[in-house]
Amino acid sequence: MNIGIIGGGSVGQILGAGLHAKGHSVTLGIRKVSAEDLAKPRTYAEPLDVWTARTGIEVTTMTKAAAADIVINATSGDVSLAALHLAGAANLAGKILIDVANPLDHSKGFPPALLPQYTGHTSLAEQIQAALPQTRVVKAFNTIAATVMANPGQIGGAHDLFLAGNDAAAKATVAEIAKSLGWVHIVDLGDITAARGTESLLPIWLRLMMTGGPLFNIHVQRA
Amino acid sequence: MNIGIIGGGSVGQILGAGLHAKGHSVTLGIRKVSAEDLAKPRTYAEPLDVWTARTGIEVTTMTKAAAADIVINATSGDVSLAALHLAGAANLAGKILIDVANPLDHSKGFPPALLPQYTGHTSLAEQIQAALPQTRVVKAFNTIAATVMANPGQIGGAHDLFLAGNDAAAKATVAEIAKSLGWVHIVDLGDITAARGTESLLPIWLRLMMTGGPLFNIHVQRA
């Protein structure tokens, strides 16, 4: 499929390269595409000029990446609404937006907490859906490390990818994309309010990462 | 072991009966032990006069239950600090307190959200530990339905009980109690701040319960 990724950090780079390797047509959009921006050092990720030379994936503007058929929000949750505003509501109208972001507050150091304005009786994904009513938002991939998103087979045994969204056809398309990456256990949690659950997994994800590294995922075991 | 449970709701009743069935000496403490209180209808649970007649477990005051060797906080999270104050800090000094409570806000209907004063860079368990510095608080059992706490074998396959607490010996004792109930996979998440992670599992627990009932648990699968 023709997929545009918004955000040039580790999630955008690793998920983008994984989708490209499986034959999808991928572009990656950032705020400004100057030589200086492309060469900028990035946390847990390559400078984008190195990444684009290595992968062959085009780095472009957010607006151009949002012109793809399917768009992935791989920005930091604290700036997602602003970034998607730059990408353009008109660009995103009618499309599937896969929201991978987590609303983390890094202001008090590590580990971050969830930003209070996106918790309780709301979530980041719900606020994105409200800001883009013409777009079919599917929360997915936000409960695992980027390397696990792109290569789920590296985790032993059954483990789950959670989907939340209001549009059943959009979730079916996201499930197809996930299957192309190797995902087997895909759990539909229902409408977009289920993102309250998946975004709230971040505190235990962070703790499990601190105690044993990021190569893990959870599996829901029923009676 | 000699275990006192604070709280007469479904968690206290089901976990208490499960521990009693495995040979532990159990008492259950509530705020007021009048005939009227014992006969009061309870949500998802029996009136305590029916329960005590059926199980043979003594229902007493919170203060008396807190005189046991090991104490379990099975109150609603929104009133836990007040209930433990009634149970008495002196009673609880030096003891292991297993905190099973979740800080849920039921004021806006179902599903509840987490109470904001216990989220972010804090948790209910941390606030209980701060209020009872002489007590060894272990957060445990709060991520599963009461029936699963007491009978983990009804869930197929591997699934996890999470522990968080500052005292390693206290966690080892809680692990022994869990093993007596049939728990096999016990995951020590570290100090009491890890309760931020396990308490934050409630939103996805509620969603999974809404989509398939309460007989489930999660398993952490590592690479």
Side-chain angles (χ1 to χ4, degrees), chain A residues 204-217:
Chain A
I204 197 163
W205 185 90
L206 286 159
R207 176 58 68 136
L208 287 163
M209 192 271 282
M210 289 159 72
T211 59
L215 294 184
F216 70 88
N217 191 14

Side-chain angles (χ1 to χ4, degrees), chain B residues 154-169:
Chain B
Q154 68 190 301
I155 306 295
H159 61 103
D160 302 343
L161 183 72
F162 298 108
L163 304 184
N166 297 338
D167 188 293

Side-chain angles (χ1 to χ4, degrees), chain B residues 36-174:
Chain B
E36 190 185 346
D37 285 297
L38 292 173
K40 195 178 72 173
R42 291 176 174 267
T43 312
Y44 307 124
E46 292 171 291
L48 281 166
D49 53 5
V50 175
W51 179 79
T52 190
R54 183 171 64 76
T55 62
I57 301 172
E58 185 193 0
V59 177
T60 182
T61 63
M62 288 186 174
T63 313
K64 284 190 186 157
D69 296 336
I70 290 169
V71 181
I72 295 178
N73 173 33
T75 62
S76 294
D78 55 341
V79 298
S80 288
L81 286 166
L84 292 168
H85 182 74
L86 281 179
N91 261 330
L92 296 166
K95 289 182 186 164
I96 295 170
L97 176 69
I98 307 176
D99 176 30
V100 181
N102 282 303
L104 295 176
D105 172 10
H106 293 277
S107 70
K108 295 188 182 175
F110 191 87
L114 291 165
L115 284 162
Q117 63 267 36
Y118 298 115
T119 60
H121 297 278
T122 184
S123 61
L124 174 61
E126 286 167 85
Q127 294 189 34
I128 291 173
Q129 181 63 83
L132 302 169
Q134 309 285 316
T135 302
R136 297 177 289 160
V137 179
V138 178
K139 190 92 199 185
F141 294 108
N142 67 303
T143 62
I144 38 186
T147 178
V148 179
M149 298 178 196
N151 181 13
Q154 68 190 301
I155 306 295
H159 61 103
D160 302 343
L161 183 72
F162 298 108
L163 304 184
N166 297 338
D167 188 293
K171 286 188 282 192
T173 300
V174 175

